[in-house]
Amino acid sequence: MAVVLLAGCRGPEGEPSPSSHAPLSLKGDQALGPECEGVELTCPEGYSCAWFDLGAGREIRCVQSPAICDLFTCSSGECMVLESHPLQIRCSGS
């Protein structure tokens, strides 16, 4: 599984740039960490704050790092971690 780190992928007002990407899903045996805490969106040690959409809207949660893409599956394309704060987890699409 390839992990791609990209910088500067934000649109106006800090929102992610629009793109066509395949939906993510959580692998069956994986669990997400707690919601990111506070204004600075902090997480426990060993976790990183990330946002993603599993089909029910945007979630901002703590996810285990560095193997973030091991938690998710893409219906097409590959999992990508876009470097920002919080991290953005997406699929590359087809």
Side-chain angles (χ1 to χ4, degrees):
M1 223 178 271
V3 176
V4 178
L5 297 174
L6 301 173
C9 293
R10 292 188 160 276
E13 300 178 20
E15 287 300 312
S17 299
S19 64
S20 58
H21 59 275
L24 281 169
S25 60
L26 191 63
K27 288 183 179 175
D29 59 343
Q30 300 297 326
L32 295 171
E35 290 185 15
C36 303
E37 295 183 4
V39 176
E40 295 185 18
L41 301 174
T42 58
C43 291
E45 188 174 329
Y47 287 79
S48 296
C49 187
W51 82 260
F52 48 87
D53 186 345
L54 296 177
R58 180 176 163 166
E59 290 187 56
I60 300 177
R61 303 284 294 266
C62 296
V63 293
Q64 287 182 314
S65 60
I68 293 170
C69 281
D70 289 346
L71 302 171
F72 298 94
T73 242
C74 291
S75 58
S76 77
E78 295 182 24
C79 178
M80 300 185 324
V81 178
L82 301 157
E83 191 173 295
S84 62
H85 187 72
L87 297 172
Q88 298 174 51
I89 304 168
R90 297 183 177 198
C91 295
S92 63
S94 50

